[in-house]
Amino acid sequence: MNTLDYFSAIDQTDTYKRYGKVLRVVGLMIESQGPEANIGEVCYIHASTKNKDPILSEVVGFHNEKLILMPYAEVAEIGSGCLVESTGKALTVKVGRGLIGKVVDSLGMNLDNSLLPKGLSSRLTEQSPPNPMLRPPISEPLQVGVKAVDSMLTVGKGQRIGIFAGSGVGKSTLLGMIARNSNADINIIALIGERGREVREFIENDLGEEGLKKSIVVVATSDQPALMRIKGAYTATAISEYFRDLGYQVNLMMDSVTRVAMAQREVGLATGEPPTTKGYTPSVFATLPKLLERTGTNEHGSITAFYTVLVDGDDMNEPIADTVRGILDGHFVMDRKLAERGQFPAINILKSISRVMNKVVDNKHQDFAQQIRTFMATYEENSELINIGAYKRGTDKEIDNAISHYPKIQAFLRQDVFEYRTLDESIELMKDLLNGGVK
């Protein structure tokens, strides 16, 4: 910066601090008279108790010229008349290579209460999605390290995938496998609305020491205020964008986008929005595309995103699942029946799709995958006849082929949690299966 730039910056600096005062607190909502602030700006609420740190909050709406604030923390120390101070800025987090291997909260602070490393830069958590005309097309496959995915549902660098599953079907285990086995440069993992018990279990058991060495984990547990859970998703996405702009191939894994939508519903209802489908407010359906479209490719690098979607009662057509499926570039459906049968990962290949697979694999790979799908579909269509013994071999050549290949296909799709397969190995195993080889 030259001298003129410094003088210009001084001229534009606002030397006044603006304050307001708390009028009332209703549920999640804090109403204050002043200060001057815009939607999305961060404010400090100074607690009535002395020697207490101010509480961070965000302007989420207005009512009769009064500010509606949402806190990032519990509001036990706030009373009527507490001072509200405007920062004049939206939420920023510290990002940089020094965060790799760390576990942080939604505000980017270390969860173990240690100090952040030096040399980090500030970045706004809310950014606009890349210009669609500046997004390079997805043309390269990404090794996920899971046979069922690499062979049958090949993922491209910069693709956005939804992992749809009920509770307890193995979502977290699958995410851990992808984080450890993928050939991406770095993993950003967002655990949103998780039970506190599950955080360390995921980091130590599913992710493991090797996975953590190339990961940054952002945690917002279920007991935290709704705004913290929403910001967890935005912070993880902002960190991913920072590394993408440096030219990295980034994996973003968010578990789960449903809990982000639930937190947004809480905020929407508290600010007076009308509930619509299943109680979700209109802002939920406006927020999801803005958040999910931020990932993908840009002119520097790519973010390959895996969003888990909780489906209530295994209903694949509930509002959030339906909306997310329409935004993303493919979906993996995890099937409870397969999990009960002991097949892990419990991905239902016939109900799953990768919309960019045809653009990132060669014709031979496509043909092999299509043959296996045909065998599986034929077996499923005739499974009742086969299982009760009503089908006689020799009646239909296609069904005979499906029956002979089915056990080999099931064995091929199974994978131990710590089994590692490269993309090329998975394709070779698929060829062996169809050519009558072992496996």
Side-chain angles (χ1 to χ4, degrees), residues 172-326:
S172 298
T173 306
L174 178 61
L175 288 181
M177 289 173 75
I178 295 169
R180 289 193 311 273
N181 300 344
S182 162
N183 64 355
D185 299 322
I186 186 170
N187 302 307
I188 313 298
I189 302 166
L191 303 177
I192 310 297
E194 289 288 312
R195 304 172 189 90
R197 171 185 64 81
E198 290 179 331
V199 173
R200 274 193 72 173
E201 282 185 11
F202 175 82
I203 293 166
E204 291 175 9
N205 301 339
D206 295 326
L207 187 58
E209 196 176 330
E210 284 303 307
L212 187 58
K213 279 180 185 173
K214 65 167 191 174
S215 302
I216 299 170
V217 184
V218 181
V219 175
T221 50
S222 57
D223 58 295
Q224 292 187 332
L227 208 56
M228 280 291 267
R229 282 175 270 144
I230 296 167
K231 290 301 170 188
Y234 281 94
T235 295
T237 307
I239 295 171
S240 303
E241 289 169 330
Y242 169 83
F243 285 102
R244 176 179 64 186
D245 291 347
L246 293 178
Y248 282 65
Q249 305 296 329
V250 184
N251 272 355
L252 170 63
M253 285 168 264
M254 192 177 293
D255 186 13
S256 72
V257 76
T258 308
R259 293 198 177 111
V260 177
M262 287 175 173
Q264 184 63 46
R265 175 173 65 183
E266 283 182 48
V267 172
L269 291 172
T271 53
E273 282 189 75
T276 54
T277 322
K278 274 204 172 180
Y280 287 103
T281 55
S283 64
V284 174
F285 302 104
T287 299
L288 284 173
K290 286 180 188 172
L291 175 65
L292 304 184
E293 283 289 342
R294 285 170 62 180
T295 54
T297 57
N298 75 356
E299 61 268 39
H300 306 294
S302 69
I303 302 171
T304 308
F306 299 87
Y307 298 100
T308 68
V309 182
L310 287 168
V311 284
D312 291 335
D314 296 332
D315 174 17
M316 292 299 298
N317 296 313
E318 60 99 28
I320 299 303
D322 210 31
T323 304
V324 170
R325 192 165 51 238

Side-chain angles (χ1 to χ4, degrees), residues 71-84:
Y72 290 124
E74 297 301 324
V75 292
E77 303 294 332
I78 290 177
S80 180
C82 285
L83 283 180
V84 180

